[in-house]
């Protein structure tokens, strides 16, 4: 009887071993991102139009349209409100009306100045050609305060077509627990800026408030199965959080954090309020300690291009200059890894495209849109 070739036998054994490894572990090699668009001025948010073009905000105040093939970037659209481009402020997120085909409203979040103070605002205008028409402010964060940090400002439409807006604490801390203030909150609005009748009715609260005790939530997305709002927010020195923002939930800032006050030594003793949120406050689903990644941008992956990534959660990182992939089991994070660390670029936003690819915005004066596909 002929003896099997040793090299062929090794290949057969390798194939058998691979077949015995669960598919979730046999993930294909991570593809390198390709430059889709370059030369953008500190891009912050993007939204896909029904025809495949992209609306992209630039922090300086310019809203542009990128062609579906990435070859053309429009001139800045008219009709965008004046923005306070200072510090972390500027033109921030963009979202399309849920009924965009019949009511082509575009929603923008931005930092709005009033004298020496500023605050997060939301405006909407109808997209006609390459301009916004009838632009109207539908929400203004109250109160406006001094400073140029922690505007939050992600826009997410819920399944019932109400609008979630994430709002940072403007680096003031205590107002995140003050129900008479919008600082450090998530608010929920109707599309015209009015208050939904079924918002939580917290004693003494502004009626727009959905949840409180947030520091600076810069990434938000709806869970594809439950429809709940998931968000990531910056901690202080460590303690970045992944949360589910449920009606009336208090997430503890500035009374609890796994992070530490700036300038303190790393370790568990410095964690704010002891670190543990429960039972007084909502415990985060995950934290990054002891080093902050400065999360910004959040997307659930649901497409067919990367079947091994289906159900995963992707988080952009500014300080960490990476794209984080989180594996989930319900509301439990079972694994996470940092991708594309070698890029050396801050990831400001991450979105799943209509083609099933992932699109990343890099936060630079010559920022790029990167496309991850196979």
């Amino acid at each position: 009887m002929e003896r099997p070739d040793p090299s062929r036998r090794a290949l057969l054994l390798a194939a058998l071993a691979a077949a015995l490894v669960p598919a979730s572990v046999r993930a294909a090699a991570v593809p390198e991102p390709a430059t889709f668009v370059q030369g953008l001025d500190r891009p912050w948010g993007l939204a896909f139009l029904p025809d495949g073009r992209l609306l992209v905000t630039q922090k300086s105040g310019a809203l542009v349209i990128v062609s579906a093939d990435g070859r053309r970037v429009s001139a800045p659209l008219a009709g965008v409100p004046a923005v306070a481009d200072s510090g972390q402020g500027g033109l921030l997120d963009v979202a399309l009306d849920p009924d965009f085909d019949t009511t082509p409203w575009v929603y923008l979040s931005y930092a709005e100045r009033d004298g020496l103070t500023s605050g997060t605002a939301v405006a909407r205008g109808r997209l006609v050609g390459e301009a916004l028409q009838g632009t109207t402010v539908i929400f203004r964060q109250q109160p406006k305060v001094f400073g140029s940090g922690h505007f939050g400002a992600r826009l997410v439409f819920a399944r019932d077509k109400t609008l979630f807006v994430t709002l940072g604490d403007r680096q003031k801390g205590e107002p995140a627990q003050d129900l008479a203030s919008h600082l450090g909150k998530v608010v929920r609005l109707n599309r015209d800026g009015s208050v939904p009748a079924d918002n939580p009715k917290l004693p003494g609260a502004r009626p727009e408030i959905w949840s409180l005790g947030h520091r600076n939530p810069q990434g938000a997305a709806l869970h594809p199965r439950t429809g709940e709002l998931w968000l990531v927010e910056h901690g202080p020195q460590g303690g970045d959080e992944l949360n589910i923002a449920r009606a009336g939930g208090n997430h503890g800032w500035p009374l609890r954090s796994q992070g530490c006050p700036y300038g303190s030594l790393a370790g568990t003793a410095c964690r704010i309020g002891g670190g543990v949120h429960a039972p007084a406050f909502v415990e985060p689903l995950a934290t990054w300690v002891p080093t902050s990644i400065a999360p910004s941008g959040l997307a659930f992956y649901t497409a067919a291009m990367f079947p091994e990534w289906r159900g995963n959660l992707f988080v952009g990182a500014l300080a960490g200059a990476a794209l984080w992939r989180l594996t989930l089991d319900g509301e439990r994070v079972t694994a996470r890894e940092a991708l594309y660390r070698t890029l050396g670029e801050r990831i400001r936003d991450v979105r799943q495209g209509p083609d099933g690819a992932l699109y990343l915005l890099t936060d630079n004066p010559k920022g790029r849109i990167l496309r991850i596909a196979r």
Side-chain angles (χ1 to χ4, degrees):
M1 181 172 140
E2 187 178 73
R3 295 173 65 93
D5 179 70
S7 61
R8 183 171 179 272
R9 181 171 180 272
L11 289 173
L12 289 172
L13 288 173
L16 178 61
L20 295 175
V21 177
S24 59
V25 178
R26 295 198 314 270
V30 176
E32 288 300 311
T35 298
F36 185 70
V37 175
Q38 58 187 351
L40 298 171
D41 179 17
R42 297 166 295 156
W44 211 95
L46 68 87
F48 288 91
L49 292 164
D51 60 6
R53 295 178 298 159
L54 297 80
L55 278 170
V56 182
T57 60
Q58 298 176 93
K59 195 169 163 293
S60 59
L63 175 67
V64 297
I65 297 178
V66 176
S67 62
D69 60 7
R71 294 180 179 177
R72 177 181 180 269
V73 178
S74 75
L77 275 60
V80 175
V83 308
D85 178 15
S86 177
Q88 296 174 15
L91 183 59
L92 304 175
D93 209 8
V94 57
L96 303 186
D97 192 279
D99 298 318
F100 184 83
D101 287 337
T102 56
T103 54
W105 291 105
V106 172
Y107 296 74
L108 300 170
S109 63
Y110 59 101
E112 181 186 57
R113 182 175 286 112
D114 183 5
L116 297 178
T117 63
S118 61
T120 303
V122 179
R124 70 173 184 174
R126 295 171 66 90
L127 182 64
V128 179
E130 292 188 350
L132 296 184
Q133 296 184 359
T135 304
T136 306
V137 178
I138 64 168
F139 172 79
R140 286 185 166 100
Q141 180 189 59
Q142 296 296 329
K144 284 183 167 62
V145 296
F146 295 100
S148 59
H150 292 196
F151 290 90
R154 286 296 170 193
L155 302 174
V156 178
F157 275 101
R159 290 177 177 173
D160 63 3
K161 302 179 184 181
T162 57
L163 175 63
F164 289 114
V165 186
T166 71
L167 301 170
D169 71 346
R170 300 301 318 284
Q171 297 179 307
K172 306 303 179 187
E174 289 79 5
Q177 292 294 321
D178 180 3
L179 290 170
S181 165
H182 287 136
L183 277 61
K185 311 297 191 300
V186 172
V187 297
R188 177 172 173 257
L189 312 169
N190 290 319
R191 289 180 282 181
D192 62 359
S194 61
V195 178
D198 58 346
N199 264 10
K201 295 173 175 58
L202 302 170
R206 289 183 177 268
E208 302 87 1
I209 291 175
W210 177 258
S211 60
L212 65 146
H214 301 286
R215 187 171 183 269
N216 192 23
Q218 287 194 348
L222 285 191
H223 191 284
R225 182 177 57 81
T226 68
E228 291 188 301
L229 181 70
W230 289 46
L231 53 83
V232 283
E233 53 190 288
H234 295 221
Q237 185 174 282
D240 299 332
E241 295 182 1
L242 171 67
N243 285 302
I244 301 176
R246 293 186 170 119
N250 187 337
H251 294 264
W253 179 256
L255 304 177
R256 299 285 191 281
S257 175
Q258 292 286 349
C260 298
Y262 287 112
S264 57
L265 297 175
T268 58
C270 66
R271 291 179 179 174
I272 296 171
V276 178
H277 295 52
F281 305 104
V282 178
E283 192 72 28
L285 303 184
T287 58
W288 281 263
V289 291
T291 304
S292 292
I293 66 166
S296 184
L298 190 69
F300 288 94
Y301 190 79
T302 61
M305 183 177 287
F306 297 100
E308 69 275 21
W309 284 355
R310 250 187 234 159
N312 289 178
L313 184 62
F314 287 86
V315 183
L318 299 171
L323 177 69
W324 284 79
R325 182 175 74 91
L326 277 59
T327 305
L328 304 174
D329 180 5
E331 296 177 4
R332 187 168 63 92
V333 176
T334 58
R336 57 189 180 185
E337 64 172 332
L339 308 175
Y340 310 124
R341 285 187 183 274
T342 57
L343 283 175
E345 293 188 68
R346 291 155 51 95
I347 305 301
R348 172 61 71 180
D349 199 9
V350 51
R351 303 286 174 118
Q352 177 181 300
D355 57 357
L358 279 177
Y359 290 77
L360 313 180
L361 289 184
T362 69
D363 181 35
N364 293 302
K366 294 183 179 180
R368 298 190 288 167
I369 302 177
L370 302 176
R371 182 174 180 266
I372 302 171
R374 70 160 53 113

